[in-house]
Amino acid sequence: MTQAFVPPTRFAVPGRIAVNEQAASEWQTATVTEIRRETPRAATFRLAVPGWPGHLPGQHLMVRLTAEDGYAAQRHYSIASAPDDSGHVELTLDHVEGGEVSGWFHTVARPGDRVEVRGPVSGFFAWPGDRPALLVGAGSGVVPLMSMIRHHRARNLAVPLRLVVSARSPQELIYARELGAETTPVFTRSAPAGATVGRMAAAHVAPLLAEQPSGGWEAYVCGSNSFAEHASRLLVTAGQPVHRIRIERFG
Amino acid sequence: MHITRGFTGRPRVAGPGLPPGQYDAGDDWPVLSAEVTPELAPADWTFRVDGLVAEPRTWDWDEAHRLPPSAYEGAIHCVTSWSKFGVRFTGVSLDAFLDVVRPHGSATHAVAYSHTGYTTSLPLSDLTGGRAWIAWEYDGRPLAPEHGGPARLVVPHLYFWKSAKWIAGLRILDHDEPGFWEQNGYHERGNPWEEQRYSGD
Ligand SMILES: Cc1cc2nc3c(=O)[nH]c(=O)nc-3n(C[C@H](O)[C@H](O)[C@H](O)COP(=O)(O)OP(=O)(O)OC[C@H]3O[C@@H](n4cnc5c(N)ncnc54)[C@H](O)[C@@H]3O)c2cc1C
């Protein structure tokens, strides 16, 4: 026998929880119970999943749609709802132009429709609510981060939590009504009177990193790949340790 | 299986090379990694093979480039359901490295690890016989950092999370030792033709 292998460098951040492998491998039928518009391009789909094993904020699931000829398409979607929403999960989907799965949700789906889901899968991006968390997202990348904020509120957690979120405009900021004092919005195309327009910059993250709660921040970055590259570099430059940045890229 | 009302899927040509549940991403090459892209210069890159081998060894950039060149041309498949066709990676076949270190007869598995500390585990039989490469060029150009440059592992017949970016080494073992995604619920082998996505598939 050889001994357990320890990688030579520092990333290898362990997953935050063990994944329930049984749940991750079984498809379950989910029923759409409610559709809520969030922005002109994004809507939230509430699903009843009677056998849902539970999840942690930040985790995602897999959705499968099947056509009559047996063709199936599956995609990953982050879970937007807090874990305590028993028997239900909520997903928030951007309407991707020409998108196969998001297109069906946005143009065909109505309450009563059934899709298949499995999960939650992957524990890496999960946040159980134990450590100070600095959340950085753009576009629909705010979805798993919102689950964390909702969890934080539902449980009245005292652990520090901050969100820096980028959207094209106030109209396109998903969950705008729900975001509160923990949030710094950044608008890239148009902003409310008095606010600046521009890309997320060092000035947005530096003050938060200067705060340094005890034990330091665990950073969670989520969005498109180009956003994830940009934001993670900002964080590293501002002093956030590389091994305490978790990244979820939507592609 | 449950038919989804009103879902037809995109008109599709069932390409012979497309594993079940995958779609052709065309010119797109999505990036999926959980870590910050490292800035790693070729001069700082090294590749080590150790564990259950006769002669553990580390190659630097120039030494690795003196091994016989080898290319992979074909498709790659990501567990997030895109496949990409006509990709061309150039580098060195993993066999060339293994021939030098000579794995023991008892060796069955390997843990591939990257310069960032990412790990992934593979049966040794998936890394030998001309089916795995250390690649530093994509389409005739240096591999971009976000795609694993300066050098990555390429094991194209398995889902691409096995093809560790910023490859730093292989530890040869006599048992399976799950790597990063394997510990996070992904399948231990990851054969796209059998849709081995999650553990238990
Ligand atoms: C871990 C993870 C979590 C995610 N969470 C979320 C989330 O919370 N919310 C969210 O909105 N998204 C999320 N995503 C992204 C999501 O998985 C899908 O990628 C997204 O919804 C697009 O899927 P689609 O089927 O609608 O589009 P696709 O059909 O996959 O198309 C994507 C793009 O490629 C083009 N395209 C692809 N194939 C073809 C083809 N054959 N012909 C023509 N055009 C093509 C489309 O026109 C479109 O522009 C997540 C991704 C990951 C990896």
Side-chain angles (χ1 to χ4, degrees), chain A residues 13-71:
Chain A
V13 205
R16 299 304 311 273
I17 55 146
V19 169
N20 177 337
E21 298 185 348
Q22 173 90 19
S25 66
E26 269 171 25
W27 290 102
Q28 304 193 46
T29 303
T31 307
V32 177
T33 59
E34 191 190 326
I35 302 174
R36 294 197 308 270
R37 181 135 300 282
E38 301 282 357
T39 70
R41 277 162 41 98
T44 293
F45 299 84
R46 184 168 172 79
L47 304 175
V49 196
W52 186 246
H55 65 274
L56 284 177
Q59 285 193 288
H60 60 265
L61 50 63
M62 197 84 159
V63 170
R64 178 167 75 182
L65 306 183
T66 306
E68 273 184 35
D69 64 2
Y71 169 81

Side-chain angles (χ1 to χ4, degrees), chain A residues 60 75-78 92-94 97 99-102 250, chain B residues 10:
Chain A
H60 60 265
R75 301 287 185 270
H76 292 92
Y77 291 103
S78 296
T92 301
L93 271 65
D94 236 348
E97 179 134 353
E100 197 169 46
V101 172
S102 68
F250 283 2
Chain B
R10 185 181 281 128

Side-chain angles (χ1 to χ4, degrees), chain A:
Chain A
M1 281 294 287
T2 45
Q3 20 168 281
F5 170 69
V6 182
T9 44
R10 298 186 314 153
F11 162 70
V13 205
R16 299 304 311 273
I17 55 146
V19 169
N20 177 337
E21 298 185 348
Q22 173 90 19
S25 66
E26 269 171 25
W27 290 102
Q28 304 193 46
T29 303
T31 307
V32 177
T33 59
E34 191 190 326
I35 302 174
R36 294 197 308 270
R37 181 135 300 282
E38 301 282 357
T39 70
R41 277 162 41 98
T44 293
F45 299 84
R46 184 168 172 79
L47 304 175
V49 196
W52 186 246
H55 65 274
L56 284 177
Q59 285 193 288
H60 60 265
L61 50 63
M62 197 84 159
V63 170
R64 178 167 75 182
L65 306 183
T66 306
E68 273 184 35
D69 64 2
Y71 169 81
Q74 36 184 303
R75 301 287 185 270
H76 292 92
Y77 291 103
S78 296
I79 301 164
S81 44
D84 300 321
D85 199 2
S86 140
H88 288 81
V89 291
E90 293 189 355
L91 309 179
T92 301
L93 271 65
D94 236 348
H95 190 172
V96 174
E97 179 134 353
E100 197 169 46
V101 172
S102 68
W104 180 85
F105 272 97
H106 278 271
T107 61
V108 180
R110 62 184 187 219
D113 278 339
R114 286 178 298 166
V115 300
E116 286 173 297
V117 298
R118 69 171 173 173
V121 291
S122 178
F124 171 72
F125 203 70
W127 180 70
D130 53 347
R131 303 181 194 169
L134 176 56
L135 318 178
V136 184
S140 58
V142 70
V143 174
L145 310 180
M146 194 65 211
S147 175
M148 299 175 190
I149 292 177
R150 287 169 168 162
H151 181 59
H152 192 262
R153 289 184 188 161
R155 293 283 178 89
N156 247 317
L157 301 177
V159 62
L161 186 77
R162 299 280 183 280
L163 169 67
V164 186
V165 60
S166 172
R168 270 181 282 238
S169 66
Q171 296 72 40
E172 290 198 53
L173 178 61
I174 302 176
Y175 314 125
R177 288 178 309 258
E178 254 185 87
L179 300 173
E182 76 290 322
T183 300
T184 310
V186 178
F187 298 109
T188 56
R189 301 273 172 80
S190 63
T196 50
V197 172
R199 227 177 162 208
M200 192 176 287
H204 297 114
V205 298
L208 299 171
L209 282 171
E211 262 177 49
Q212 276 309 321
S214 94
W217 296 109
E218 196 74 18
Y220 290 80
V221 175
C222 187
S224 67
N225 177 54
S226 59
F227 174 78
E229 285 290 306
H230 174 68
S232 60
R233 260 185 233 131
L234 280 182
L235 289 173
V236 173
T237 309
Q240 175 69 9
V242 175
H243 65 285
R244 298 200 60 190
I245 301 178
R246 292 163 196 272
I247 306 181
E248 186 96 282
R249 304 172 198 245
F250 283 2

